[in-house]
Amino acid sequence: MPNTTLIRLLLLCSVGYIAVMPVFSTEVTYIFRIPGLICIVLLAFQNYQHAYPKYRLPLLVIFILCMLNISMMHDQFTFDIVLSVFSVFCQLLLIIICSTIQVDNTLRKSIYRISLLGAAVLTIHSIAPYSNFTGTFTAIYLTYGFSNSNFAGITTFLIYSALCMTSDFNRKRSTFITLSVCCWLLYLIFLTNCRSALVAALLVPIAMIFLSRHRLPNLLLYIACIVPFIFVPLYLNFTDNITENVEVMGKGVVSGREIVFRLYLDRIEEDYQYIIGTFDHIPFHNAHNGPLSYFISIGAIGTLCVFGIWIDKLRRCNTLATSSNAKCAVFVILSVFIESCGEASLFLGGFPSIAYLFIFYVMAASRKIYYE
C-alpha cells in the first residue's frame, strides 16, 4: 500500500480518536487506535530498510528493558500495557523512517484537508455540554472533554500548525480558509489556558517568515531539548522556596504539578529501578513530564535511548533543512519538546500526537513541500 494512503488512514484514525475520546469509553477508542497502529506497522515495514540510521542498538536496549520489567511486575499484566509498550515502539519507528518519505502535493493536500476535519471536530467538542469536563470534574477552562486542558491546548496546537504549514497561501481561497480556521483555533487554545501552546502557536507564523532565510542553530535545538530534562528538579526546587504564587493567564505558576512529580518519583522503590525503571503502577503513564514518564518506566538507560533517537533524528533534519517549511517543522517539534515539560502524552505514542509529530518530522526531513 502506498505511503500516502497509509499516512492518510493514520491521520483519519487520529481524527476519529479525537472525535470519540471525550464521549465514549476507552474500549471504543480502540476502533481507531488499533487500525492506526496497524498503519504504522505497515509504514515501518515498507520504509525501515531505507532509513538511515536505523538505531538498532537503542531499540534493542529499550526492548530488553521492557521485557525485563514485564518479568518483574507485581501488578497484573493487561492488554493496555501491551498496547502502551507497542505504541511507544510504533512512535519511535515513525521517527526513524521519517526521512524516507517526501511531502508531495497529494500528501500535502491530504494533511491539510484532514487537519480541517480535525478542526471541525474540535469545534463541535468546544460547544458540546461536556466541553469543560475532564472525566472526573468540570473545569473552568476548555477541555473538549479530554483528561485535562493542557492536552486540549496541545492537540489544538498540533492541528493549527499542520494547517499553517500545508496551506497553499498563493491561492486566495485557501489563504482565507486557513486564516479563518487558524484564528478560531488560536481562540480555542486561549480558552484552554494552555499558556505554552498559545505562545508557540503565535510564534509559528513568525517562524515561517524568519526561517525562510535562517536556520535554527543546533545549540538552540539542544537547549530546547534539554529543558524537559531539567524542568522537574528545577520546578521542585522552585516550589519549595516560593513564598507567593504568581498567576499568569489565570493560572498560578505553582499549579500542583510538584505534587504529581513527587508522587511519580515515589514509585521508585529500589535503587536499581533508577537504572532500569519499573512497570508497576502502569508503565508509560502520563507523569506530566516527558522524560519523567520514561524514567519511571524504563529508567535512566531507557530514557537516554528513547530521547537519543528523538533528538539525533531532529538534529539530522535540522542540519539538512533547506526549505522554510522544513525549518519551521523543526521549530514546531522543538515547541513540542518544551510542551513536554508539563504534558508527557506527546511522547508516549498516544493519539493524535503520534500521527502529527510524525508528520512534522516528515516535513522537517523533506527538501520542500510541493504545491501545484
Side-chain angles (χ1 to χ4, degrees):
M1 190 177 294
N3 286 331
T4 300
T5 302
L6 289 172
I7 294 172
R8 187 185 294 124
L9 290 173
L10 174 59
L11 287 170
L12 286 171
C13 286
S14 298
V15 173
Y17 183 91
I18 295 172
V20 303
M21 182 184 175
V23 185
F24 299 101
S25 64
T26 302
E27 287 72 21
V28 176
T29 65
Y30 293 163
I31 297 173
F32 296 101
R33 186 176 179 184
I34 292 177
L37 293 174
I38 292 173
C39 289
I40 294 172
V41 171
L42 293 175
L43 277 168
F45 180 77
Q46 289 182 178
N47 297 283
Y48 181 79
Q49 60 181 335
H50 305 297
Y52 177 81
K54 295 182 173 61
Y55 302 101
R56 293 190 184 94
L57 180 58
L59 286 174
L60 178 61
V61 171
I62 297 165
F63 178 78
I64 292 172
L65 289 171
C66 289
M67 293 301 101
L68 186 61
N69 284 325
I70 288 173
S71 68
M72 295 191 297
M73 282 181 62
H74 295 100
D75 296 342
Q76 184 179 2
F77 187 67
T78 64
F79 176 71
D80 282 333
I81 293 176
V82 175
L83 207 56
S84 294
V85 174
F86 186 65
S87 297
V88 167
F89 276 95
C90 281
Q91 188 166 39
L92 290 173
L93 288 172
L94 283 179
I95 302 307
I96 291 171
I97 67 170
C98 70
S99 57
T100 66
I101 300 169
Q102 292 295 310
V103 183
D104 58 17
N105 196 53
T106 302
L107 180 55
R108 177 192 66 81
K109 286 183 177 180
S110 296
I111 297 170
Y112 181 77
R113 290 168 180 170
I114 296 173
S115 296
L116 282 177
L117 178 62
V121 169
L122 292 181
T123 298
I124 294 171
H125 286 328
S126 70
I127 60 177
Y130 51 79
S131 61
N132 297 86
F133 192 58
T134 65
T136 55
F137 63 91
T138 301
I140 61 174
Y141 311 117
L142 178 65
T143 66
Y144 305 121
F146 296 158
S147 57
N148 61 68
S149 60
N150 272 348
F151 180 72
I154 294 165
T155 298
T156 312
F157 168 71
L158 292 173
I159 293 175
Y160 162 91
S161 298
L163 285 171
C164 286
M165 295 180 58
T166 55
S167 175
D168 186 354
F169 288 106
N170 293 319
R171 296 187 175 184
K172 291 182 179 180
R173 182 180 176 184
S174 177
T175 301
F176 175 76
I177 293 173
T178 303
L179 291 177
S180 300
V181 175
C182 285
C183 286
W184 171 247
L185 292 178
L186 275 174
Y187 176 65
L188 293 182
I189 295 174
F190 172 76
L191 292 182
T192 66
N193 265 49
C194 183
R195 296 161 292 192
S196 53
L198 181 60
V199 172
L202 292 171
L203 290 176
V204 166
I206 299 173
M208 291 179 69
I209 298 171
F210 177 78
L211 295 176
S212 61
R213 295 187 178 183
H214 304 277
R215 179 185 286 112
L216 288 171
N218 280 333
L219 178 60
L220 179 61
L221 183 147
Y222 292 135
I223 291 173
C225 292
I226 289 172
V227 169
F229 286 86
I230 63 175
F231 180 79
V232 171
L234 289 178
Y235 187 75
L236 290 177
N237 182 68
F238 173 75
T239 55
D240 285 340
N241 294 286
I242 192 171
T243 56
E244 183 178 354
N245 193 6
V246 179
E247 287 194 356
V248 178
M249 287 180 59
K251 285 185 178 180
V253 175
V254 180
S255 60
R257 284 286 190 265
E258 71 282 1
I259 299 173
V260 176
F261 294 156
R262 288 193 175 93
L263 285 173
Y264 274 89
L265 287 170
D266 287 342
R267 294 181 176 183
I268 300 292
E269 299 172 351
E270 305 289 343
D271 289 342
Y272 69 86
Q273 291 176 346
Y274 287 99
I275 306 299
I276 66 170
T278 174
F279 269 22
D280 288 331
H281 315 292
I282 310 176
F284 303 116
H285 198 251
N286 187 0
H288 292 290
N289 177 269
L292 179 60
S293 293
Y294 278 103
F295 176 69
I296 300 301
S297 299
I298 50 178
I301 295 176
T303 303
L304 291 175
C305 288
V306 168
F307 283 93
I309 294 174
W310 280 90
I311 297 171
D312 185 64
K313 198 69 178 181
L314 185 58
R315 177 191 63 82
R316 291 174 183 272
C317 290
N318 187 53
T319 301
L320 298 174
T322 55
S323 71
S324 58
N325 295 100
K327 297 172 194 174
C328 190
V330 172
F331 173 81
V332 171
I333 297 168
L334 287 181
S335 299
V336 171
F337 266 91
I338 300 297
E339 296 279 2
S340 74
C341 287
E343 185 55 49
S345 61
L346 294 164
F347 287 121
L348 297 177
F351 287 90
S353 56
I354 191 171
Y356 275 100
L357 282 178
F358 167 58
I359 290 300
F360 293 128
Y361 263 94
V362 169
M363 292 180 186
S366 296
R367 293 185 177 180
K368 65 177 293 186
I369 296 179
Y370 292 87
Y371 299 88
E372 289 181 343

